[in-house]
Amino acid sequence: MSLPGCYPLHDAIIAEKLTKYYGDFLAVDHISFQVRKSEIYGFLGPNGAGKTTTVRMLCGLTRISEGKAYIYGYDINRELVAIKKLIGVVQDISNLYMELSCYDNLMFCAEMYGVPRHQRKERVMDLLRFFGLEDKKHVKFKELSKGLKRRLAIAAALVHKPKLLFLDEPTIGLDVKSKRQIWNLICKLNEKGITIFLTTHNIYEAFRLCDRIAIVNRGKIIAEGTPTELRKKVSGNKIIELQVSPPIKKSTILDNVDGIIDVNIGRDNTIYITINDAIAALEGILKIVKKLSLEIVMLNLRGADAEDVFIKLIDGTEKNIGSSTRR
Amino acid sequence: MIDMLRLEDIIKAFYIAKKDIKEYYLKPPTISWGIVFPVAFTLAFILKGGHHAQEIIPGLIALALFFGTTSMAAASIVFERKIGSFERLLLFPVSYIGIALGKTLSSFMFGMVSLFATLVVVLPFILNIPTYSLFLVVVLILSALMFSAFGVFISFLIKDPTNTMMIFNSIRLPMIFLCGIFIPISSLPLPLRLIAFLLPLTYSVEATRFAINGNYDVVPPIESILSMFIITILLILLTSIKIRRTIP
């Protein structure tokens, strides 16, 4: 049953203990979260974390095993047709119709979403223009490049002007240029007020695009917050990136320096030094550089980046979570 | 369990059918199994049949229609399920019964194309035969709908797309011998006769025979029409339930 009376006005999605079992395998483990209207909410996690299953449950392609979910106040278990009118979904595969042209694909989607007849043509042409596909209007879907296919798939999900757009791994398999074009489109759509639920395993993508991120692993949300909040969770450590000439080949040379937690040497001989006391570590490193008469090529001190946050959080849960099976 | 069929769903079913026509009518399996094969075997049997041809023509028309409609269903549904575009239909605000009806309509329309091709071949041989022409139109339309619904239902039972034509042919080919096209049902042993009554092609062959030749073997024309109507509705409903169950 929908909750028009008590439904929080600022939430586009409310998920309460959302769970999915495939047989005995627990794919999504009692997760709860809220997505606010007009935000970009990221679901970041490694492959098999339960991201796609969550999206599939929220748009009715997979049954919910346990828990509840509401989209704009409508109960997914009972009011799916009403929900489908409010959402657009871009799946992780570009699954439009191969033999149809870009125009025909969008027109079919407009018909199926019930766009009024007199608005369809204009709506389709507007989308083709917005997505830079106007000159591909009569080109069959199967003849488009991967990047253009993904763009058309996003356009197809927007044809009925949804309030909420699900993007499941929208840039997977795309080259850098296409990826950036999709990112720009996502930002533009969000500026128009569309709420976006984005799943990705691309850490940079999530931290660049999302207002809030849930980091998921093994079906659980292990951390949630703005990119800044997530960085703060692992902000105790900083990293020194050091290149010297001639290069240092053995990390053991820094073994007795205070303030150092870990040392790794990259393939380009850059030394990545994880530290917990910047002053002590820098003093010790400079002493060694001077003693060995090395020339500093590059010295960089930085805080934890998105990847560090992700790896640290994922590693933390890997140790704590056992096998995910039906209880 | 079963959705309500609303006007909105019927309209969307037509959109699905229109899309399928654009997408699949020129696919090689659709053309070869849905038009070339039925026209070829109809012509072959008529030429081979000599003066007996007029007795088997009604059955051949029904059989050709059966191949035409079911081939389209196989091409559109199994292929879409294979590449993942069938899921797109599940994302649209349309009921499962609306999807089942849409897929049935696209097969039905292709069946009409296939029927036209068959009739072009057959007509010269039945010009002098008295027929109930209006009844024939009703029978052929209803037959096409029933076969389409049958093809759509079977398509949703197929798990491995590479086996599609093998499964379809293993269902279709035995029907040639069980549904009264060449061998009268009344002359079949009792167990086979009982099986014949379970097969949709039987009722179409019987009704088509009545419309063209003015006689029937075991099922009176009105009963054939009613049976076809009930089977069609039942198959569409079963398909909508099957679609719902495909959701993991």
Side-chain angles (χ1 to χ4, degrees):
Chain A
M1 194 175 152
S2 58
L3 304 165
C6 56
Y7 189 80
L9 289 173
H10 55 275
D11 284 331
I13 303 175
I14 296 177
E16 293 169 357
K17 296 184 178 176
L18 204 58
T19 305
K20 181 64 192 177
Y21 290 102
Y22 290 111
D24 280 342
F25 176 70
L26 180 55
V28 176
D29 188 0
H30 302 84
I31 58 171
S32 299
F33 60 91
Q34 285 89 38
V35 177
R36 295 170 197 147
K37 286 178 187 170
S38 302
E39 74 171 344
I40 302 182
Y41 186 83
F43 234 47
L44 172 66
N47 293 334
K51 306 184 296 290
T52 297
T53 304
T54 304
V55 169
R56 290 176 64 86
M57 282 193 283
L58 292 173
C59 62
L61 290 179
T62 295
R63 282 178 220 277
I64 295 171
S65 303
E66 288 171 23
K68 289 178 180 176
Y70 301 93
I71 290 182
Y72 285 92
Y74 292 103
D75 185 339
I76 283 182
N77 286 319
R78 293 161 187 256
E79 295 160 301
L80 199 53
V81 172
I83 287 173
K84 284 175 180 176
K85 289 178 181 174
L86 297 174
I87 64 172
V89 183
V90 180
Q91 292 181 270
D92 55 351
I93 48 166
S94 295
N95 57 0
L96 284 166
Y97 301 99
M98 296 291 173
E99 299 293 333
L100 298 192
S101 66
C102 295
Y103 180 88
D104 284 341
N105 262 299
L106 294 187
M107 187 53 88
F108 173 62
C109 292
E111 289 167 345
M112 291 303 289
Y113 276 117
V115 175
R117 186 181 290 270
H118 65 279
Q119 291 178 15
R120 281 177 204 158
K121 197 173 173 187
E122 191 188 341
R123 186 82 59 86
V124 167
M125 289 312 298
D126 283 349
L127 281 168
L128 288 172
R129 267 191 293 277
F130 183 79
F131 283 87
L133 291 165
E134 206 177 1
D135 58 332
K136 307 279 182 195
K137 183 180 165 185
H138 298 299
V139 176
K140 285 182 179 178
F141 182 68
K142 69 177 181 185
E143 290 161 6
L144 297 177
S145 68
K146 260 188 178 180
L148 294 183
K149 276 181 179 163
R150 196 52 58 88
R151 271 200 255 172
L152 191 69
I154 298 175
L158 293 168
V159 77
H160 56 304
K161 295 191 173 175
K163 289 181 172 181
L164 170 64
L165 181 64
F166 288 99
L167 295 170
D168 191 7
E169 302 276 8
T171 59
I172 195 166
L174 299 186
D175 58 41
V176 178
K177 191 182 167 198
S178 303
K179 224 176 241 188
R180 284 175 187 273
Q181 285 172 336
I182 298 287
W183 288 344
N184 288 338
L185 284 170
I186 292 171
C187 292
K188 275 190 198 172
L189 293 172
N190 185 241
E191 282 165 17
K192 288 183 168 190
I194 298 174
T195 308
I196 293 172
F197 186 100
L198 171 86
T199 77
T200 183
H201 65 260
N202 182 330
I203 302 152
Y204 179 68
E205 181 172 280
F207 276 73
R208 177 188 162 138
L209 294 176
C210 298
D211 298 306
R212 290 192 305 132
I213 299 167
I215 296 182
V216 287
N217 192 31
R218 296 193 179 202
K220 282 179 184 291
I221 293 179
I222 55 175
E224 191 189 38
T226 63
T228 313
E229 285 167 352
L230 289 173
R231 281 196 186 93
K232 277 183 190 164
K233 283 185 193 267
V234 288
S235 64
N237 299 335
K238 288 189 167 58
I239 289 164
I240 292 172
E241 293 169 340
L242 174 69
Q243 268 186 5
V244 290
S245 177
I248 294 174
K249 298 285 184 189
K250 286 183 180 173
S251 61
T252 48
I253 208 163
L254 299 169
D255 272 358
N256 295 323
V257 177
D258 288 340
I260 291 180
I261 297 169
D262 189 29
V263 180
N264 288 297
I265 301 178
R267 292 183 73 180
D268 62 347
N269 292 320
T270 302
I271 310 164
Y272 298 92
I273 308 160
T274 310
I275 57 171
N276 57 12
D277 183 342
I279 293 171
L282 280 168
E283 276 177 359
I285 291 165
L286 291 174
K287 266 185 199 168
I288 289 171
V289 167
K290 203 171 176 182
K291 189 178 159 188
L292 298 176
S293 303
L294 301 171
E295 184 192 341
I296 294 176
V297 179
M298 184 263 285
L299 177 64
N300 184 27
L301 173 66
R302 63 171 174 83
D305 66 11
E307 199 169 299
D308 299 325
V309 173
F310 183 72
I311 296 296
K312 184 164 180 181
L313 289 168
I314 295 287
D315 280 352
T317 54
E318 290 288 329
K319 287 166 194 161
N320 297 332
I321 300 172
S323 61
S324 301
T325 52
R326 192 182 281 271
R327 282 169 237 168
Chain B
M1 197 69 177
I2 296 169
D3 300 314
M4 289 293 290
L5 184 65
R6 300 158 301 165
L7 177 64
E8 194 185 345
D9 293 319
I10 295 170
I11 294 167
K12 286 176 183 173
F14 275 99
Y15 292 139
I16 292 172
K18 189 176 77 174
K19 185 271 297 172
D20 278 356
I21 289 166
K22 286 181 185 173
E23 175 88 346
Y24 300 110
Y25 268 28
L26 297 177
K27 287 261 179 199
T30 320
I31 299 289
S32 60
W33 285 105
I35 294 179
V36 177
F37 180 66
V39 168
F41 75 62
T42 303
L43 191 60
F45 279 117
I46 288 173
L47 294 176
K48 176 78 179 162
H51 61 279
H52 294 298
Q54 65 187 49
E55 289 168 26
I56 58 169
I57 279 173
L60 290 173
I61 292 172
L63 186 62
L65 190 55
F66 186 48
F67 269 83
T69 50
T70 49
S71 297
M72 175 64 185
S76 80
I77 295 164
V78 180
F79 180 73
E80 279 191 6
R81 289 177 70 203
K82 181 184 168 189
I83 64 164
S85 56
F86 182 75
E87 278 205 336
R88 186 160 280 282
L89 289 181
L90 300 177
L91 291 171
F92 293 126
V94 58
S95 64
Y96 301 124
I97 199 168
I99 296 173
L101 184 62
K103 288 294 179 188
T104 303
L105 284 176
S106 67
S107 301
F108 167 79
M109 289 176 199
F110 186 79
M112 291 290 114
V113 175
S114 174
L115 176 67
F116 177 76
T118 309
L119 288 179
V120 167
V121 172
V122 166
L123 272 177
F125 298 91
I126 59 171
L127 274 179
N128 299 325
I129 298 170
T131 58
Y132 299 101
S133 43
L134 191 62
F135 186 71
L136 181 62
V137 171
V138 173
V139 167
L140 291 179
I141 288 174
L142 202 49
S143 297
L145 272 174
M146 176 179 67
F147 295 150
S148 302
F150 181 78
V152 168
F153 179 66
I154 298 295
S155 298
F156 277 103
L157 299 180
I158 294 172
K159 287 184 178 157
D160 182 359
T162 55
N163 293 334
T164 305
M165 279 306 156
M166 191 268 286
I167 290 170
F168 262 92
N169 285 337
S170 63
I171 294 168
R172 291 187 292 204
L173 295 175
M175 285 197 202
I176 296 175
F177 304 101
L178 292 171
C179 298
I181 298 167
F182 301 112
I183 309 160
I185 295 169
S186 53
S187 67
L188 291 173
L190 184 63
L192 293 182
R193 218 183 306 164
L194 291 175
I195 293 172
F197 285 121
L198 295 174
L199 301 173
L201 185 59
T202 298
Y203 303 100
S204 175
V205 171
E206 287 283 89
T208 311
R209 177 169 290 129
F210 178 79
I212 293 175
N213 292 348
N215 59 46
Y216 61 90
D217 184 18
V218 285
V219 189
I222 297 301
E223 284 177 28
S224 289
I225 293 282
L226 275 175
S227 301
M228 285 196 281
F229 186 75
I230 292 166
I231 291 169
T232 306
I233 301 290
L234 203 62
L235 285 169
I236 291 173
L237 291 177
L238 285 173
T239 303
S240 73
I241 292 168
K242 184 65 193 163
I243 294 172
R244 184 188 289 274
R245 288 189 178 168
T246 58
I247 296 172

